[in-house]
Amino acid sequence: MNPASTALNAVTPTKSGSRLGRLDIARGLALIAMAIYHFGWDLEFFGYLVQGSASQGWWRIFARCIASSFLFLVGFSLVLAHGRAIRWQPFFKRLAQVVIAAAAISLLTWFFMPQGFIFFGILHQIALASLLGLLFLRMPIWITIALAAAIIATPVYFRAEIFDHPALWWVGLSTVNPVSNDYVPLFPWFGAVLLGIAAARIMQSTGLLRLLQGGIKPQWLERLLIFIGRHSLIFYLVHQPVLIGLLYGFSAIFPPSAAIQAANFVQQCTVQCSADSDPQLCRIYCGCMLENIQSNQLTNLLKSSTTTDEEREKLSTFSAQCVAKTQEGQPVQ
């Protein structure tokens, strides 16, 4: 997750005095949480964490909570901005900003990370959800909540091969999730937007919106969070280049440990090997490859995919030796 990151204020009111301070603070907190998660993802990318760390366990739960909070706030803000009447001009202006930012993210990741480029991430979801959400601004609240629950539950109980075509991956009901560094399809994530719409309408009708007025203490933290919350698109677009730049400089001075590099090599090797072979045998093979690489002083190959002709020849020899070793370890049929 990784996640993964939004222009949440693309649908919030902009008239002086019409904003709810604590809503901006909530948005700012969500953005900081997003930056923390992305920092973990960047640490993994640069080799300071074992591969897969940012997509498993508590990190995975953390990413899903962040994405859910963003989308909930999108629905909530949609009601505040257009609940009485849709303000088409500012709506389309802000929608265009999100669409352009989403397209830029797709283009950049296509060039720099083609194996996991972002074709339908959080910004794409927000653009689509902002349009679809307009249909629910006056829908009976109970219908909105019921539909939200259905959308969230559907991927758990229903997936179909018809959605496996790349043109339909944005729906989120394919039998296998496509590889992407930020994948936030319509199902189940639009459900969070609908819950935000329902919550805002309930708070409007009961007078509970007043709870979002005011701020928090200390004031410096309040000002910081409100500033971030009101400039969420800029924060989203800028924070990752800044984090990556800082880590790039840090890695040049303090490279990741050899132990983590070795663990990452074995893990990646095992994943690739397991696509065609038994995972247990792949672990033996990859462990053997690591041992040969380390014993022959070729540890630079653990952190770089670039190899010379001589290194490729040695790797080929290692591979043949390790295949033989792996076959020796297989049980007799």
Side-chain angles (χ1 to χ4, degrees):
M1 208 233 212
N2 321 170
S5 4
T6 178
L8 287 178
N9 60 352
V11 290
T12 53
T14 56
K15 293 181 180 180
S16 177
S18 63
R19 302 187 77 114
L20 298 172
R22 287 176 180 168
L23 185 63
D24 287 321
I25 290 170
R27 190 178 295 114
L29 285 171
L31 286 160
I32 289 178
M34 172 201 67
I36 292 172
Y37 173 77
H38 282 169
F39 183 66
W41 190 93
D42 294 338
L43 287 173
E44 179 183 320
F45 180 80
F46 278 91
Y48 291 97
L49 293 177
V50 176
Q51 291 294 318
S53 298
S55 58
Q56 300 174 1
W58 287 107
W59 274 107
R60 180 181 176 87
I61 296 173
F62 185 43
R64 289 179 175 269
C65 289
I66 295 169
S68 298
S69 67
F70 277 134
L71 295 171
F72 179 91
L73 290 171
V74 166
F76 199 100
S77 300
L78 194 66
V79 173
L80 299 185
H82 307 286
R84 292 193 177 94
I86 299 174
R87 301 157 57 227
W88 290 108
Q89 184 174 352
F91 174 82
F92 281 122
K93 178 181 177 181
R94 296 184 183 103
L95 179 64
Q97 293 173 347
V98 179
V99 169
I100 291 171
I105 292 296
S106 292
L107 185 62
L108 288 172
T109 54
W110 170 263
F111 281 107
F112 293 104
M113 295 182 289
Q115 298 298 325
F117 97 100
I118 300 172
F119 60 89
F120 203 85
I122 191 78
L123 290 180
H124 305 74
Q125 170 65 251
I126 288 172
L128 178 60
S130 296
L131 284 170
L132 295 179
L134 297 179
L135 302 174
F136 297 88
L137 295 181
R138 292 168 184 79
M139 187 81 68
I141 294 175
W142 71 268
I143 292 180
T144 302
I145 295 174
L147 188 58
I151 290 173
I152 293 170
T154 295
V156 177
Y157 299 102
F158 174 79
R159 291 177 180 267
E161 292 183 358
I162 190 175
F163 295 106
D164 288 346
H165 192 282
L168 295 176
W169 282 347
W170 62 273
V171 177
L173 295 177
S174 57
T175 56
V176 179
N177 285 337
V179 177
S180 177
N181 288 322
D182 186 23
Y183 180 51
V184 189
L186 185 66
F187 290 83
W189 295 103
F190 184 55
V193 178
L194 292 182
L195 289 177
I197 291 174
R201 294 185 62 200
I202 290 173
M203 292 185 74
Q204 275 186 334
S205 62
T206 57
L208 292 177
L209 280 180
R210 66 179 182 275
L211 297 177
L212 299 179
Q213 295 174 349
I216 61 172
K217 293 182 179 180
Q219 286 192 344
W220 67 265
L221 180 60
E222 175 188 332
R223 288 194 295 267
L224 175 63
L225 293 175
I226 288 178
F227 178 82
I228 294 173
R230 292 184 179 181
H231 299 85
S232 56
L233 181 56
I234 295 175
F235 183 91
Y236 169 66
L237 294 175
V238 169
H239 84 281
Q240 267 292 62
V242 170
L243 290 176
I244 290 173
L246 291 173
L247 273 176
Y248 179 81
F250 182 83
S251 65
I253 304 173
F254 304 101
S257 69
I260 293 181
Q261 291 177 5
N264 284 336
F265 171 82
V266 172
Q267 185 178 50
Q268 292 177 356
C269 172
T270 303
V271 170
Q272 293 175 357
C273 172
S274 299
D276 302 308
S277 305
D278 179 77
Q280 184 175 356
L281 296 178
C282 286
R283 283 190 287 272
I284 297 173
Y285 168 83
C286 294
C288 173
M289 287 293 292
L290 174 64
E291 183 179 345
N292 281 333
I293 288 172
Q294 291 176 330
S295 63
N296 285 271
Q297 305 299 315
L298 295 173
T299 52
N300 62 296
L301 299 180
L302 300 180
K303 57 183 178 180
S304 174
S305 58
T306 304
T307 57
T308 64
D309 291 339
E310 181 181 357
E311 288 171 340
R312 282 192 290 271
E313 184 176 346
K314 289 183 178 180
L315 286 174
S316 179
T317 301
F318 298 161
S319 180
Q321 294 172 351
C322 291
V323 167
K325 180 179 180 179
T326 302
Q327 290 175 343
E328 291 175 0
Q330 293 188 60
V332 178
Q333 301 295 326

